[in-house]
């Protein structure tokens, strides 16, 4: 009997959403274990035994315990290569895919996360928005999306001609940003806009969105 996959986290966490999306793309059953971040459960035992940094999500499967969402998605994609959507590409093309996974983590995520914190999460928690931080990071995101526009003029998806982890990793932050005025930065670039419409309409992502309804 296959070992049960458990994901500890919050449906509001963009990092946890990345893992949920991967599991749904792979059509894998999993148990979601909510972590009450409002009362600081993620900063206490027993959660710290799963992730000593006190951040969600955490992943369990038998005696395997993982944290860091992108490490978890790579384990799922490679470990269940024969299930659902491929998400990774064999051979030399994997190198290009890896480049764009790194771009998401180091170029896109830092600025998109800051914008979402200011425009989505701060209002949710009743904290004033820092307009100077919004302006600064909008400019940075625009430059990143200029690079994306050029890349997506050459291939349908960031890693090549099929949907992969390089695209999936963007979904939580894009979905958040598209609910704010930052949407204009995506909409004004035709190839980026078409890519966003494509990846956000995937059935697996719709299941993640439904977790917050």
């Amino acid at each position: 009997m296959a070992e049960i996959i458990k994901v500890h986290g919050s449906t509001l966490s963009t990092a946890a959403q990345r893992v949920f999306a991967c599991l749904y793309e792979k059509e894998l059953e999993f148990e979601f274990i909510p972590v009450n971040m409002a009362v600081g459960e993620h900063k206490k035992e027993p959660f710290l035994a799963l992730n000593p940094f006190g951040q969600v999500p955490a992943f369990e499967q038998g005696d395997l315990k993982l944290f860091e969402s992108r490490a978890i998605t790579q384990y799922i994609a490679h470990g269940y290569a024969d299930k659902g959507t491929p998400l990774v590409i064999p051979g030399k093309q994997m190198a290009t895919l890896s480049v764009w996974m790194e771009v998401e983590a180091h170029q896109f995520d830092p600025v998109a996360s800051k914008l979402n914190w200011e425009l989505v999460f701060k209002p949710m928690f009743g904290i004033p928005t820092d307009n100077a931080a919004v302006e600064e990071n909008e400019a940075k995101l625009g430059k990143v999306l200029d690079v994306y526009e050029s890349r997506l003029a050459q291939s349908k998806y960031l890693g090549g001609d099929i949907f992969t982890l390089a695209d999936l990793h963007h979904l939580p932050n894009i979905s958040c940003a598209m609910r704010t005025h930052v949407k204009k930065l995506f909409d004004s670039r035709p190839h980026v806009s078409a890519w966003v419409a494509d990846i956000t309409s995937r059935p697996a992502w719709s299941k993640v969105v439904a977790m917050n309804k």
Side-chain angles (χ1 to χ4, degrees), residues 72-99:
I72 296 168
T73 61
Q74 289 188 66
Y75 164 71
I76 296 165
H78 289 284
Y80 294 91
D82 59 335
K83 300 275 191 182
T85 308
L87 296 178
V88 290
I89 306 170
K92 189 183 286 187
Q93 282 182 286
M94 189 63 208
T96 300
L97 167 54
S98 296
V99 166

Side-chain angles (χ1 to χ4, degrees), residues 9-213:
S10 165
T11 58
L12 288 175
S13 160
T14 52
Q17 288 171 6
R18 202 171 280 126
V19 174
F20 300 146
C22 187
L23 288 164
Y24 283 131
E25 287 285 355
K26 283 294 182 183
E27 301 170 4
L28 295 171
E29 299 272 337
F30 66 96
E31 180 183 347
F32 169 52
I33 301 170
V35 176
N36 189 338
M37 298 175 73
V39 299
E41 282 184 2
H42 57 308
K43 299 296 184 184
K44 305 170 188 173
E45 295 292 354
F47 185 80
L48 289 176
L50 297 172
N51 184 350
F53 293 103
Q55 297 172 320
V56 298
F59 177 99
E60 280 189 285
Q61 187 179 29
D63 60 0
L64 177 67
K65 294 175 175 58
L66 301 173
F67 54 92
E68 294 296 342
S69 63
R70 295 171 186 84
I72 296 168
T73 61
Q74 289 188 66
Y75 164 71
I76 296 165
H78 289 284
Y80 294 91
D82 59 335
K83 300 275 191 182
T85 308
L87 296 178
V88 290
I89 306 170
K92 189 183 286 187
Q93 282 182 286
M94 189 63 208
T96 300
L97 167 54
S98 296
V99 166
W100 288 98
M101 286 196 289
E102 291 292 311
V103 169
E104 183 277 329
H106 300 294
Q107 305 295 334
F108 178 85
D109 184 82
V111 291
S113 291
K114 284 175 186 172
L115 284 167
N116 287 331
W117 169 244
E118 294 294 341
L119 297 171
V120 177
F121 294 105
K122 273 191 173 182
M124 193 183 294
F125 302 134
I127 306 170
T129 295
D130 181 341
N131 292 321
V134 171
E135 187 175 345
E136 176 189 349
N137 285 288
E138 272 191 56
K140 289 179 179 178
L141 181 59
K143 290 180 180 178
V144 172
L145 292 180
D146 284 341
V147 175
Y148 280 39
E149 181 68 9
S150 176
R151 170 61 180 166
L152 292 165
Q154 300 166 27
S155 65
K156 185 175 181 181
Y157 298 102
L158 289 175
D161 294 327
I162 63 167
F163 177 84
T164 65
L165 288 180
D167 309 289
L168 181 147
H169 286 175
H170 288 79
L171 276 166
N173 273 317
I174 285 178
S175 189
C176 249
M178 294 298 279
R179 309 200 312 258
T180 75
H181 72 266
V182 172
K183 181 177 185 290
K184 67 187 179 187
L185 297 178
F186 298 89
D187 291 347
S188 61
R189 294 165 171 83
H191 292 98
V192 168
S193 180
W195 170 69
V196 167
D198 182 322
I199 66 173
T200 56
S201 66
R202 294 183 68 83
W205 182 247
S206 296
K207 290 178 181 178
V208 178
V209 172
M211 292 176 79
N212 274 313
K213 291 181 179 175

